[in-house]
Each structure stands twice: as C-alpha cells, then as structure tokens.
Amino acid sequence: MADEFFDDEQELMEAAGAAPQDPAASPAQRGPVPSREAARETSAPPFWMVVAIAAIALLLGMVIGYLIGTSTALNALGSSGGAATQQSSDAIDSSEVLPEGHPQLDINEDGTASVATGDGASSAGSAQ
C-alpha cells in the first residue's frame, strides 16, 4: 500500500518536472512546485554581513577569553596570597633555620643578605 502511494507521487513529480507549466493555470492544475524553484529563491548573505558576523564572533571570543583568564589569575593570586599569610603566621620552618655556629643573616626585600649583629647594625663581613 505504501508502495502504491509512493509510485503515484513519483509519477506526479515526473509529470510536473517534464511538462512545462502554464503560468496562467491555477495552482491545482500546475501540480506540486519542484524543489529547484524553492532553492533558487534563497541566496547567500552579502559578503559584508559574513565579515561583520565573523568580527563580532572574534570580539566576543576575545572578551570571554580575557574574562576567563582574569578570573583564573585572580583566583590563583588569592589562593597563593592566602597560603603566604598562613605560612608567615606559622612557626619558622626548619628550612629557614641556619645550622649551628652559622652567623644570623638579615635578608632584605631585594634579596641581599648581610650578617646580623647584636646591636642592630649589620656588617658585610667581619672576621673574628
């Protein structure tokens, strides 16, 4: 039964495609509209529209990437900052203690070290 319906539709499509259609005929007499005519009615968008959509997509990608990167960096700084304050509040780590007999050092913020003396003044290299 389904084959008969399909065969009838195929015959109608072949008849509509083979016979030229009269523009003055009514739509019922003309038969089904071939899909080729429907395909001809659609056209590609203009080039400037394609470029504009691509530019907008690129701009949105850059903004979203910047926001994600900034968020990640701030989270990393926040977590490392919390760890630094927690570490400084803890007791002195054994890796920061100098061996016995070694003079105590004052380490400046720029990374330079000098020998700490008992009176608060530091000397660069005093020999005993």
Side-chain angles (χ1 to χ4, degrees):
M1 290 185 201
D3 292 338
E4 292 174 8
F5 178 75
F6 181 72
D7 292 339
D8 293 340
E9 287 295 316
Q10 284 290 19
E11 289 174 9
L12 287 174
M13 291 297 287
E14 289 173 3
Q21 294 183 356
D22 183 18
S26 68
Q29 293 173 345
R30 280 190 243 155
V33 177
S35 62
R36 285 179 250 149
E37 289 180 14
R40 275 188 254 145
E41 292 176 7
T42 60
S43 62
F47 183 71
W48 66 267
M49 193 178 295
V50 174
V51 171
I53 291 171
I56 291 170
L58 181 65
L59 184 65
L60 281 174
M62 290 172 60
V63 168
I64 291 170
Y66 175 79
L67 292 175
I68 290 173
T70 302
S71 172
T72 304
L74 288 176
N75 287 340
L77 286 175
S79 65
S80 67
T85 57
Q86 181 182 8
Q87 187 181 22
S88 64
S89 65
D90 292 345
I92 296 176
D93 190 17
S94 63
S95 64
E96 296 174 359
V97 177
L98 296 173
E100 187 177 334
H102 195 285
Q104 291 297 320
L105 299 176
D106 286 332
I107 301 174
N108 299 331
E109 290 180 3
D110 61 353
T112 58
S114 58
V115 178
T117 58
D119 61 353
S122 58
S123 62
S126 61
Q128 291 181 340

